[in-house]
Amino acid sequence: MSNFSDYCEVKVIDHILRSSTFSKPSGIYLALVTTLATDSSTGSTLVEPSGGGYARYSLGAPADATWTRGSSTTGVATNAASITFTASGGNYGTVVGIALVDAATNGNVLLYSGTLTGGSKTINDGDSLVFAIGDISVTVA
């Protein structure tokens, strides 16, 4: 996943090159999307599965224990724990990507988004979509 949202791009520029500061979100959530997010998407405009017990996955507050960085010289972080979404009582439909957002529902901020490696995945009732440790990669290049 390497797509900064417009929101993140502006915050990084303002924080590093201008006088504004940037406060981290108090929580980060992983969302599945059935239509790819754009740079201008927000947490409220994402097209996510509905029904089937779907909910965004809480990654908690930003923390070193949640994300692993390969080295001090790379702009890549990967998930440090396995993440599982399981459809229960209905289908999620076809998931094409993921997004990191700042709220469990709606929310104002999309942080990053990206496509699923290997293409889209149809999630039917009882199916699981599992992201093993290291499967989610956030790249800043």
Side-chain angles (χ1 to χ4, degrees):
M1 178 181 350
S2 60
N3 297 322
F4 263 120
S5 67
D6 288 343
Y7 170 85
C8 272
E9 292 168 353
V10 168
K11 292 300 182 184
V12 168
I13 293 293
D14 284 352
H15 183 74
I16 294 173
L17 301 175
R18 299 175 46 87
S19 59
S20 297
T21 60
F22 175 63
S23 298
K24 292 180 185 182
S26 59
I28 297 177
Y29 298 82
L30 180 64
L32 303 178
V33 294
T34 56
T35 300
L36 289 177
T38 66
D39 285 358
S40 61
S41 294
T42 67
S44 298
T45 62
L46 292 175
V47 181
E48 300 175 73
S50 61
Y54 171 77
R56 293 175 181 172
Y57 187 95
S58 174
L59 298 169
D64 291 347
T66 307
W67 296 97
T68 302
R69 189 175 63 201
S71 75
S72 61
T73 60
T74 63
V76 179
T78 58
N79 58 306
S82 180
I83 299 166
T84 302
F85 289 88
T86 300
S88 173
N91 302 333
Y92 284 1
T94 302
V95 175
V96 298
I98 58 177
L100 295 177
V101 294
D102 71 339
T105 60
N106 295 320
N108 60 329
V109 177
L110 167 68
L111 302 168
Y112 304 98
S113 65
T115 60
L116 293 181
T117 302
S120 60
K121 179 159 176 62
T122 300
I123 310 294
N124 293 316
D125 186 14
D127 291 344
S128 293
L129 178 58
V130 178
F131 298 96
I133 293 171
D135 277 357
I136 299 173
S137 178
V138 177
T139 304
V140 179

